[in-house]
Every structure is written in C-alpha cells, then in structure tokens.
Amino acid sequence: MSLLREIQAAAIDDKTSVTTLLLKCQLLAVRVNHAEFAQWVNFEFNGYAADAELPEYRRLGRGRALGTFSGISEAA
C-alpha cells in the first residue's frame, strides 16, 4: 500500500492515533519535498507560533465563560 493510501486509511480509522497519522504525513512531506506541508505537520505537532496564521479549524469563535463558585474566598 502506498504511503498516501496508508494516510487516507489511517485518517478514517478510529483506532489510529493522531500522532501516528501526523508521523505518516511528516514522512510523506519529506518524500515529496513539500515544505508547506512539512511546516503544517510541524505546527500540528508542536503548536503554532504566535505570529503564524492559524487555519480556520484552529480559531475559536466569540464566547464567554460562565461558572458557579462556592466556598471561602481569601481577600487579596
């Protein structure tokens, strides 16, 4: 099975870890010498740099946090 087919199969297999999938993607990026793909894999492994443009799926929409707190609070 080709590496690309392995990646496709792994992407839809709920038993395959994201780490395994990303390692296969990293290998593919090196084999086809695709710098942009390699950078994306690196960002997914290690987090995006502060100045990197986040992909849409990594952006959070607006929201607010709500909570219920109980117990004793200490004065600052």
Side-chain angles (χ1 to χ4, degrees):
M1 182 184 297
S2 74
L3 181 57
L4 181 56
R5 296 236 186 254
E6 285 182 37
I7 291 169
Q8 290 170 330
I12 60 172
D13 181 1
D14 61 352
K15 293 176 185 74
T16 301
S17 71
V18 173
T19 300
T20 298
L21 183 58
L22 286 173
L23 285 170
K24 288 175 184 276
C25 288
Q26 189 174 48
L27 179 58
L28 180 62
V30 169
R31 282 188 182 173
V32 299
N33 194 28
H34 196 292
E36 187 177 347
F37 186 38
Q39 183 180 45
W40 173 82
V41 173
N42 183 54
F43 282 152
E44 290 296 317
F45 262 130
N46 301 309
Y48 286 80
D51 60 346
E53 185 174 339
L54 293 176
E56 187 64 34
Y57 64 88
R58 289 282 181 205
R59 296 180 193 154
L60 297 176
R62 292 181 164 235
R64 63 180 201 207
L66 300 174
T68 302
F69 304 94
S70 63
I72 301 171
S73 65
E74 297 181 22

